[in-house]
Amino acid sequence: MEVIQKHPLTSKYASLFNKADINTPLRLSCFMGQAQHESKLKPTAENLNYSSNALISGFGRHRISIEDAKKYGRTFVQPANQRMIANIIYGGGWGLKNLGNKVFEDGWKYRGRGIFQVTGLANYSALTNYAQKTLGLNVDYVNNPDLLLNEADSLIAALWYWNSRELNYYADKNGILSISKVINLGNAKASGTPKGLEDRILQTNYFKKIFGCK
């Protein structure tokens, strides 16, 4: 408990961090460092302000057609239609398989929110189950997804995200690279370098000083 008290956010929600077993100097440092990089420890909603060119180059044709990318993406003469973009890139067969989205509007309704961006109906459902059964909270994120824009709910979501991906395992090994790969690339064994790796390391090292890692 003493180590948790060393930062205002962890101290404020000490009971939640303890329930999530994120309560050692290394676990706290790794969690807070990644959270600081992802969202500066603030609950945020996903920015889908993609340009037409970014949609064309960034997503496969199985997720959005060139025609739709040009129709809904941001150009010099039109703003991005973020709702339609979300429903398209998070919908269809890909959205059902990867995110559990079932109907067209699920893409927008369950777009990324929180400290770590929770995305998709399946994840909002799993988060709700965690909050109700593990934390004993009377909360429903499936029917109230915007709750993740609140500080407390956003933190609950981040703790669920961390534990559902077993990131304490890598934190105990000081595995900043592995944690970064899981968060940014989806798998600790993924090839390539996670985006923002240098800053992830910098932020984690900053919190190591706060929490007294040796």
Side-chain angles (χ1 to χ4, degrees):
M1 176 67 75
E2 182 179 348
V3 67
I4 290 178
Q5 302 295 332
K6 293 184 177 182
H7 187 275
L9 186 69
T10 56
S11 178
K12 183 178 180 180
Y13 297 104
S15 62
L16 289 177
F17 277 93
N18 271 317
K19 285 183 179 180
D21 288 326
I22 303 175
N23 50 14
T24 69
L26 260 180
R27 291 179 180 184
L28 287 163
S29 300
C30 289
F31 175 90
M32 295 290 281
Q34 294 288 340
Q36 175 67 24
H37 172 80
E38 289 291 323
S39 62
K40 300 189 185 303
L41 296 172
K42 302 290 185 182
T44 60
E46 183 177 9
N47 181 4
L48 293 154
N49 186 28
Y50 290 108
S51 68
S52 296
N53 289 337
L55 287 169
I56 291 171
S57 62
F59 296 92
R61 299 288 74 79
H62 63 296
R63 293 185 64 184
I64 189 167
S65 67
I66 293 176
E67 180 182 3
D68 281 343
K70 291 180 177 179
K71 184 176 181 180
Y72 300 116
R74 186 185 75 251
T75 67
F76 290 114
V77 297
Q78 69 181 28
N81 186 329
Q82 296 193 44
R83 189 186 195 104
M84 284 299 297
I85 289 171
N87 286 329
I88 292 171
I89 65 174
Y90 293 146
W94 187 93
L96 177 62
K97 178 181 178 181
N98 293 279
L99 299 173
N101 289 337
K102 297 178 180 179
V103 299
F104 186 70
E105 278 292 324
D106 281 353
W108 175 251
K109 185 175 182 179
Y110 301 114
R111 64 193 183 280
R113 296 179 183 84
I115 292 174
F116 297 127
Q117 299 278 279
V118 176
T119 308
L121 173 57
N123 285 318
Y124 279 82
S125 297
L127 168 60
T128 298
N129 185 65
Y130 168 81
Q132 293 178 350
K133 295 186 177 180
T134 301
L135 301 181
L137 300 174
N138 182 22
V139 64
D140 184 350
Y141 297 113
V142 172
N143 288 309
N144 302 283
D146 278 337
L147 287 175
L148 292 195
L149 299 180
N150 299 327
E151 181 183 77
D153 295 286
S154 183
L155 180 61
I156 290 167
L159 297 174
W160 163 79
Y161 178 96
W162 189 268
N163 282 339
S164 68
R165 287 149 180 81
E166 300 181 338
L167 295 180
N168 277 340
Y169 171 81
Y170 299 107
D172 289 342
K173 299 175 181 294
N174 196 26
I176 302 175
L177 176 60
S178 294
I179 294 171
S180 300
K181 283 188 173 185
V182 171
I183 292 174
N184 186 246
L185 302 177
N187 190 312
K189 297 181 180 179
S191 60
T193 302
K195 292 181 180 178
L197 178 60
E198 184 176 340
D199 184 64
R200 294 174 192 274
I201 294 172
L202 180 68
Q203 298 299 338
T204 301
N205 287 337
Y206 168 77
F207 282 102
K208 283 181 179 179
K209 294 178 181 178
I210 291 177
F211 293 112
C213 290
K214 298 180 179 179

